[in-house]
Amino acid sequence: MEYDDALSATAARYLRGGDRFAGRWVAGKLRHDPVHRAVLELAPDLGTVADIGCGRGQLSILLLLAGRARAVIGIDRNRRHLDQGRRAAAGLAFTPSCADLGSAAEIPACDTAVVVDVLYQLAPDRQYALLREVAAAARQRVLVRTLDPGRGLRSRLAITFERVALLLSPRSDRLVAPLPVADLAGILRAAGFAVSVAPCWQGTPFANVLLTARRL
């Protein structure tokens, strides 16, 4: 299934679930956030995937519908979002799992681990620990989208936007603490991965980058 077809099919699954807000949110996220296309285009088969911090699960479902993943475990702390993903994924190999990534969490063994916009919302020590846990669980690759604090004006704009968003967030424990990308890449290299870093902000003014780590 081509990207645009998989995108439309994914959004339609949320709308059929009866939650029009979730359907509209997912459709907008899929169309305007470049991480979905970037992950989809990385490999024809990502194998079994752990989607860490999956939210409503739209990336998981997109990968399954497009034939890029054989099965996905979606991990998130928000039970309501996981329930929305579970309903939208009816008939697909999607398994939701509730866990708080801000503390020690069991990361399931997988071929590919995907961590999108999660790390910089955690305390620095926990970011390092979670990334090590992810690297130990992933047999083939780790994909991390994060906010790069070293991109000048883009970074300042992105951090300001995130901090303003905190004012509207019901989560009192959420942070905006992006770590140097070189530090994150160093953890993955020490765990036996070759790492590349590429911008992942196309069409936005932000400073998101995608770390692609392949096990040597």
Side-chain angles (χ1 to χ4, degrees), residues 61-83:
I61 293 174
L62 179 69
L63 291 173
L64 289 166
L65 289 177
R68 297 298 197 273
R70 281 171 268 161
V72 182
I73 298 174
I75 303 171
D76 203 88
R77 63 178 284 174
N78 190 316
R79 292 184 182 276
R80 179 169 173 268
H81 288 173
L82 287 172
D83 285 343

Side-chain angles (χ1 to χ4, degrees), residues 107-110 130-139 142 188 191 193 215:
I107 306 300
C110 56
L130 177 59
L131 193 55
R132 291 189 180 98
E133 293 163 8
V134 168
R139 290 182 288 263
V142 176
L188 293 168
F193 292 85
R215 191 171 289 283

Side-chain angles (χ1 to χ4, degrees), residues 183-209:
D183 290 358
L184 303 178
I187 289 175
L188 293 168
R189 291 188 178 106
F193 292 85
V195 183
S196 63
V197 180
C200 194
W201 61 60
Q202 293 86 342
T204 78
F206 304 131
N208 299 316
V209 294

Side-chain angles (χ1 to χ4, degrees), residues 62-120:
L62 179 69
L63 291 173
L64 289 166
L65 289 177
R68 297 298 197 273
R70 281 171 268 161
V72 182
I73 298 174
I75 303 171
D76 203 88
R77 63 178 284 174
N78 190 316
R79 292 184 182 276
R80 179 169 173 268
H81 288 173
L82 287 172
D83 285 343
Q84 291 171 345
R86 176 182 51 78
R87 289 193 295 270
L92 300 176
F94 174 73
T95 303
S97 177
C98 189
D100 184 358
L101 297 171
S103 57
E106 184 175 347
I107 306 300
C110 56
D111 297 315
T112 301
V114 180
V115 190
V116 175
D117 298 346
V118 171
L119 290 181
Y120 63 83

